[in-house]
Amino acid sequence: MARRALTPWDDETPLDVPISAIEHFSYCPRQCALIHMEQTFEENVYTIRGQLAHQRVDGGDSENRPGVSVRRGLPLWSERLGLRGRADVVEFAAGEQPFPVEYKVGRRRPPHADLQLCAQALCLEEMLETVVPAGAIYSHAERRRHILRFTDELRSQTMTMIGEIRTQLRQQLLPPAVDDARCPPCSLVHDCLPQVSAHPARLRGLQGALFRPLEAIDDDA
Ligand code: SF4
């Protein structure tokens, strides 16, 4: 099917951005590049907890409750924005607008999941030719829903980030490591090695040591 390039950052052959990349990029652009460009993935306690929490929604079992149809694992896309992905849950209540719900194992940490959920709303609006004014992030850790309104500002931030991710993917850009508070809980910390990769002088020293004869290293000791 012919695709239209309607966004200012998308004047070449469109490249679909995975909706999941938005949360990764928001958390750390390097994490996004490692996952979506280099297909790096590691499990840690947080990813395993997340998988367990998502088992039901990933199963795609939908149900009808009184007055509301609950769709799980709903495929999403936007031709206009070049987006594709899946919604954990979308609720369709009688006489109301579609209501996407994103499940998170930990506490809500704005703006990462907020941007991801907003991207889901933008897809739903295009797919269903409707308006999606609000959604929710369900935190398993907090056992509560955070209602999120899709303001003009949040929509603008989300579309800007989609453009930045598309540029990163298209140009195969691997940003430098940050080595800050984001790194210890990051599942990619052992692939990224921020304690070395974020420090050029340390990295150069270790690279040099790799090619020094063992005797020279022993002499230095
Ligand atoms: S370890 Fe740190 S710099 Fe590396 S991807 Fe994770 S958050 Fe980003």
Side-chain angles (χ1 to χ4, degrees):
M1 181 169 57
R3 296 276 306 273
R4 290 184 301 159
L6 295 180
T7 45
W9 56 80
D10 195 9
D11 55 359
E12 301 173 23
T13 305
L15 174 74
D16 279 347
V17 170
I19 292 175
S20 61
I22 295 171
E23 185 175 21
H24 297 143
F25 190 94
S26 175
Y27 185 77
C28 170
R30 183 175 171 89
Q31 186 195 68
C32 179
L34 288 170
I35 293 172
H36 297 278
M37 282 168 30
E38 303 197 0
Q39 278 72 53
T40 305
F41 187 78
E42 293 287 341
E43 299 284 17
N44 71 2
V45 65
Y46 302 105
T47 61
I48 291 172
R49 278 185 191 160
Q51 285 175 22
L52 292 173
H54 273 88
Q55 272 181 353
R56 188 172 181 213
V57 289
D58 288 345
D61 295 330
S62 298
E63 61 180 307
N64 293 317
R65 298 179 193 149
V68 57
S69 172
V70 179
R71 300 290 145 207
R72 294 195 168 88
L74 188 70
L76 298 175
W77 65 89
S78 165
E79 296 291 330
R80 185 175 70 91
L81 299 173
L83 275 178
R84 61 180 163 77
R86 194 173 283 272
D88 284 346
V89 166
V90 182
E91 296 173 351
F92 297 89
E96 296 186 19
Q97 303 304 111
F99 190 85
V101 183
E102 177 70 15
Y103 283 70
K104 295 296 174 195
V105 68
R107 293 179 175 277
R108 177 180 170 227
R109 294 177 302 174
H112 314 311
D114 298 15
L115 294 159
Q116 181 181 353
L117 187 67
C118 183
Q120 295 177 16
L122 294 170
C123 289
L124 285 167
E125 289 183 340
E126 181 178 321
M127 290 165 59
L128 304 175
E129 298 184 350
T130 188
V131 176
V132 180
I137 293 168
Y138 180 81
S139 162
H140 283 273
E142 300 169 77
R143 296 269 186 263
R144 60 162 290 209
R145 277 187 175 195
H146 296 270
I147 304 297
L148 183 65
R149 300 206 69 80
F150 303 123
T151 62
D152 289 345
E153 183 184 4
L154 182 58
R155 289 166 184 264
S156 173
Q157 287 174 352
T158 303
M159 288 194 283
T160 298
M161 190 163 290
I162 293 166
E164 291 171 353
I165 297 168
R166 178 169 289 107
T167 298
Q168 180 186 76
L169 298 180
R170 181 169 281 146
Q171 298 182 1
Q172 296 286 288
L173 300 170
L174 180 63
V178 291
D179 195 19
D180 62 18
R182 289 171 282 181
C183 299
C186 175
S187 65
L188 302 185
V189 66
H190 299 303
D191 299 282
C192 175
L193 300 175
Q195 291 175 321
V196 175
S197 53
H199 304 280
R202 199 178 299 169
L203 180 61
R204 277 195 299 276
L206 289 169
Q207 284 171 331
L210 272 178
F211 300 103
R212 285 165 62 195
L214 285 176
E215 301 79 40
I217 295 174
D218 289 345
D219 289 347
D220 291 347

